[in-house]
Amino acid sequence: MPKTCMTMCCREESPKSDTTIDEKPEDNLWLQLNFTVDSETGEHLLSPENHISGGDVTLDSVSPLNSPSFTLNETVPDFNLDFNLDEALKFVGLNCSETGETVWKPSEPEPTSDNKESPGKEKEDSEDSLDTLNDTLDDMIQASQLHPQHPRSLQGRLGSLVRGGEMERWQEVVQYLGLPNPHHTQAPHTPMAAHGTSPTHSHGHGPPLHHPHALYPSHETSPSTPAAPVPRGVLLNNATLPPPMPDPMTHNITYTNSMGASSHLVTSSMNLTNSSDLAGSDHSQYKMEATTTLPSEMMYYQNTSTEMNQTTDGLLSSILNDEALGLMEMAMSDYSGSRNQSGDYNTGSYRYAAEDPHRMPSIPLKKQHMYGRGGAGGLGGGSSSGVANVGGYGSHYPQPPSLPVMEGATALDPAEMKYSCTMDFRSQEVSGSSVEHVQHNHTYHMSPEGPSGLSRPTSRDKQKNRKNDSERTLSRDEKRARAMNLPISCDDIINLPMDEFNERISKYDLTEAQLSLIRDIRRRGKNKVAAQNCRKRKLDQITHLADEVRAIQSRKNDLYKEYEYLNLERNRIKNKFSLLYRHIFQSLRDPDGNPYSPHEYSLQQSADGSILLVPRSSPGHSVDPNSGNKPRGKDDAKQ
DNA sequence: CACGAGTGTCATTCA
DNA sequence: ATTGAATGACACTCG
């Protein structure tokens, strides 16, 4: 039915339903239509003169005032008849500009929550909204009955809708309002639907307005699709209105996507915090921090080294008591430990004293073990034994330790001294003088200043009290360095570049023990800074992540508020559109002057923008001109 | 005395 | 092969 715009089929199949719309016979404007009945299909075809420009539009003069000359497609001179979408919207108090700019949001109540629930909740929401809408429609219908619009005026408005530009806007409105697709569901906004009288629909009420599939036509039947077999009269039925706009479900999806975007945002942010990125950024950051930290470190070591330089023999002599002995032993232990560690670095496995006389038995140098020993292994005994073991060395301990002394100590195998502290090792040691020495050598643990010493002799506390603050600030390595009489400050040892460091070392004739201690001090010093930076970085990451969490939560709340607002706005506009739709529909009259039943007819819009009055009973939606289901479109229904 | 934070150190990996 | 950075894990100290 190429030429049919709004077919009339009301007479034959006008099963007056129990619509709430007051169908007044005198309002039957369709009687004024010029139409022909298709002999094959029985459809009523509008007369050519009723067709609108281009032959596409069908809504012709439907003059409620029996004005045959009235055409809907053309701008009617009469202002009252010149109906366009803007006017229509104004009629219902709807601003088009608003709709165009409105951003669709998912209809989910809780967008950020479970999306899984969205379909169900969506449906519920839709139903609720539909009920509300139907109620509103009922009210509007009643109001309309009380205050019927001038048929002609309405007709004019309707006719104006046919105009291309206006139709686009109409479509926009329709899309925006998410009118249901008659191909899938019944007309939603009609009161009839609310009454569930539509024979073609099982639902008591119209299709859920929010139902994704109800709101928009399928792809196959989408009027917006050029290939859609909807020739002239596309049902203006809400269902068939082109739905370029995503339906709620789509919105849900979109929303989900948006959440995905949000999560993508999160993901992005997460990427920011991603190990790689973050690490990368942080690296530089922390490298800078490290550099900035270094000065303090350097300061620290500088101060301590200065102190150490100031101490020299005098200081040593002042502190060289049992604590000094501990330092000596600690240094020796470090030496042996460093040797052992060197073995670790070089070979990745511990070396045994058998391989190198200067290397202690390969016992893991786990400090905790040594400290554990110290605590358990009789401090006094260990300490004293250690001193005793040092032998001649011990006799020198009132004096600053000297290399010769250390040599002597090394001869005594400080490694054994150190590792004798380990419980495991001691348990393994069965007998032997050397073993005994090891067993009783707890000097490392006993290091008076050692922060790791589990148990401290009371004498140590006394010594501690005696010592000044500067002495207390000495680190173990500094004490070791002092004990070993290292010519290089710990600060330099740790922070000097490798070249300069080697150059400095080469200047002195250092013993193996001293070199080992220097290497250990350097390694530990750098690792200490690295650990500090690492921890600082970790804290910063945690802080950053916490900030991100707060920011995302805030955005989530904002989005939800926006969603609620848009949802309300959508419902508001939808109600207004329903009012407009009903208003227009009530203005249509069949040739007998009777109003069309919303149960049986619906307004639909074709792809070209023409508005048709199509019977709901037609399952094919007037898509097949050759079939008997030609839409009984009401082209230009006369009013 | 238990607990948590801070720290030092070791072991390991990677560049 | 050496060195340093980074980091997990452990032990210790301290409030």
Side-chain angles (χ1 to χ4, degrees):
Chain A
M1 0 192 306
K3 298 284 184 176
T4 301
C5 292
M6 298 190 74
T7 58
M8 297 172 46
C9 47
C10 50
R11 288 186 189 178
E12 307 87 81
E13 42 181 326
S14 59
K16 302 297 183 183
S17 59
D18 55 348
T19 176
T20 60
I21 295 179
D22 185 6
E23 301 177 357
K24 301 176 181 178
E26 61 273 21
D27 291 339
N28 189 348
L29 305 178
W30 295 96
L31 293 174
Q32 309 305 325
L33 283 173
N34 294 329
F35 66 92
T36 59
V37 178
D38 190 318
S39 58
E40 296 179 356
T41 64
E43 289 182 346
H44 292 67
L45 302 179
L46 289 176
S47 301
E49 57 270 25
N50 289 334
H51 293 163
I52 304 174
S53 60
D56 291 333
V57 181
T58 52
L59 246 193
D60 242 36
S61 60
V62 182
S63 174
L65 301 179
N66 296 332
S67 170
S69 61
F70 175 74
T71 58
L72 295 175
N73 58 329
E74 297 296 340
T75 300
V76 179
D78 183 355
F79 175 78
N80 293 332
L81 301 178
D82 186 6
F83 178 87
N84 56 31
L85 181 58
D86 286 340
E87 290 176 324
L89 295 175
K90 289 177 182 177
F91 176 78
V92 296
L94 182 62
N95 187 353
C96 289
S97 61
E98 295 178 359
T99 63
E101 298 175 353
T102 302
V103 179
W104 281 87
K105 288 291 180 178
S107 56
E108 294 177 86
E110 175 52 61
T112 56
S113 60
D114 293 338
N115 288 333
K116 316 168 204 171
E117 300 177 358
S118 60
K121 289 184 177 181
E122 176 75 12
K123 190 170 184 177
E124 292 179 3
D125 255 4
S126 300
E127 293 176 356
D128 293 343
S129 299
L130 183 59
D131 292 341
T132 303
L133 180 59
N134 287 331
D135 295 340
T136 302
L137 287 175
D138 291 342
D139 295 340
M140 294 191 307
I141 290 168
Q142 294 174 2
S144 176
Q145 292 169 353
L146 294 176
H147 306 284
Q149 292 289 329
H150 192 290
R152 177 163 182 163
S153 173
L154 293 173
Q155 202 62 48
R157 289 170 181 161
L158 180 59
S160 298
L161 290 173
V162 179
R163 293 180 299 182
E166 306 298 336
M167 294 311 296
E168 293 179 359
R169 307 188 69 174
W170 173 272
Q171 289 177 344
E172 290 177 359
V173 174
V174 169
Q175 295 164 3
Y176 176 83
L177 295 174
L179 290 174
N181 186 347
H183 296 248
H184 299 282
T185 60
Q186 64 195 28
H189 300 290
T190 59
M192 316 296 261
H195 293 285
T197 56
S198 176
T200 59
H201 302 287
S202 58
H203 298 321
H205 50 71
L209 293 178
H210 299 154
H211 191 286
H213 299 295
L215 289 173
Y216 304 102
S218 63
H219 296 292
E220 305 84 19
T221 60
S222 174
S224 61
T225 303
V230 184
R232 304 299 122 165
V234 177
L235 221 47
L236 232 202
N237 186 339
N238 301 333
T240 47
L241 290 175
M245 295 295 291
D247 61 12
M249 180 62 81
T250 304
H251 289 318
N252 289 337
I253 296 172
T254 302
Y255 185 80
T256 301
N257 291 340
S258 102
M259 286 309 291
S262 178
S263 55
H264 183 273
L265 214 176
V266 176
T267 303
S268 301
S269 60
M270 290 302 289
N271 288 339
L272 292 177
T273 59
N274 186 334
S275 59
S276 60
D277 294 344
L278 186 62
S281 61
D282 286 343
H283 279 195
S284 59
Q285 173 186 357
Y286 284 96
K287 284 181 180 302
M288 295 181 64
E289 292 177 357
T291 56
T292 57
T293 304
L294 279 178
S296 63
E297 290 291 329
M298 295 180 66
M299 289 293 292
Y300 175 73
Y301 286 104
Q302 195 74 42
N303 295 337
T304 57
S305 63
T306 302
E307 282 181 14
M308 184 178 72
N309 293 337
Q310 294 174 347
T311 56
T312 63
D313 293 349
L315 175 60
L316 286 175
S317 59
S318 66
I319 63 173
L320 274 181
N321 38 32
D322 53 341
E323 178 183 1
L325 176 62
L327 288 174
M328 295 294 291
E329 293 172 347
M330 183 176 64
M332 296 179 70
S333 299
D334 286 340
Y335 164 70
S336 61
S338 65
R339 298 297 293 255
N340 186 30
Q341 292 173 3
S342 300
D344 289 344
Y345 280 158
N346 296 334
T347 63
S349 60
Y350 294 96
R351 293 181 182 179
Y352 292 84
E355 300 173 353
D356 185 344
H358 293 283
R359 300 187 189 222
M360 58 175 302
S362 74
I363 300 298
L365 185 54
K366 286 299 247 179
K367 199 168 64 175
Q368 47 270 32
H369 293 209
M370 296 186 292
Y371 294 160
R373 284 325 110 247
L379 301 170
S383 176
S384 62
S385 68
V387 173
N389 290 338
V390 173
Y393 177 76
S395 64
H396 296 287
Y397 90 79
Q399 302 171 354
S402 60
L403 292 178
V405 171
M406 293 308 295
E407 292 297 341
T410 55
L412 200 135
D413 196 349
E416 293 180 357
M417 294 169 56
K418 175 178 181 178
Y419 290 93
S420 64
C421 302
T422 63
M423 202 58 130
D424 296 341
F425 182 82
R426 184 169 52 183
S427 64
Q428 294 173 357
E429 299 295 340
V430 177
S431 63
S433 60
S434 62
V435 172
E436 291 177 354
H437 286 296
V438 172
Q439 288 176 339
H440 296 289
N441 182 3
H442 302 283
T443 55
Y444 187 84
H445 322 293
M446 307 253 325
S447 67
E449 296 298 326
S452 59
L454 282 179
S455 63
R456 300 173 186 175
T458 55
S459 62
R460 178 172 167 275
D461 293 338
K462 295 176 183 177
Q463 297 165 5
K464 187 176 181 179
N465 294 334
R466 280 180 291 181
K467 286 186 290 186
N468 57 38
D469 294 341
S470 63
E471 293 174 4
R472 294 178 189 175
T473 59
L474 291 178
S475 67
R476 286 185 297 174
D477 278 339
E478 288 169 335
K479 293 167 186 170
R480 291 168 193 149
R482 180 185 300 175
M484 292 287 285
N485 196 23
L486 295 182
I488 308 175
S489 67
C490 288
D491 177 40
D492 290 341
I493 292 173
I494 296 171
N495 297 315
L496 282 178
M498 203 61 195
D499 296 340
E500 190 174 352
F501 173 72
N502 291 329
E503 184 180 354
R504 290 283 294 278
I505 291 178
S506 62
K507 291 179 181 179
Y508 305 94
D509 184 15
L510 300 175
T511 66
E512 192 66 21
Q514 286 176 312
L515 290 176
S516 295
L517 177 59
I518 288 175
R519 283 193 295 266
D520 287 347
I521 289 173
R522 183 177 177 88
R523 175 179 52 79
R524 280 193 289 262
K526 288 187 174 298
N527 184 250
K528 182 194 294 183
V529 175
Q532 291 171 349
N533 292 334
C534 182
R535 285 162 178 150
K536 185 189 301 181
R537 178 166 43 250
K538 190 178 293 182
L539 285 178
D540 288 346
Q541 289 173 349
I542 292 172
T543 302
H544 182 254
L545 288 176
D547 292 341
E548 274 193 346
V549 169
R550 281 191 291 268
I552 291 172
Q553 285 177 341
S554 175
R555 172 157 175 74
K556 172 188 171 184
N557 293 334
D558 293 343
L559 286 175
Y560 184 66
K561 290 177 183 176
E562 184 181 3
Y563 156 77
E564 287 181 330
Y565 167 76
L566 292 176
N567 215 20
L568 293 174
E569 193 68 8
R570 185 187 63 173
N571 291 334
R572 186 181 67 81
I573 295 173
K574 187 180 295 182
N575 291 337
K576 288 185 177 181
F577 178 83
S578 299
L579 175 63
L580 174 63
Y581 181 91
R582 185 191 58 79
H583 197 80
I584 294 173
F585 198 91
Q586 285 184 329
S587 300
L588 299 177
R589 295 292 182 274
D590 62 11
D592 296 334
N594 297 322
Y596 289 95
S597 170
H599 291 289
E600 302 163 1
Y601 297 94
S602 64
L603 292 176
Q604 295 190 13
Q605 182 182 26
S606 64
D608 58 2
S610 50
I611 299 175
L612 303 177
L613 183 64
V614 180
R616 295 180 182 279
S617 59
S618 61
H621 302 291
S622 73
V623 289
D624 185 4
N626 297 330
S627 70
N629 289 332
K630 278 185 182 178
R632 316 299 217 74
K634 263 355 83 111
D635 326 272
D636 48 39
K638 291 183 180 178
Q639 297 185 6

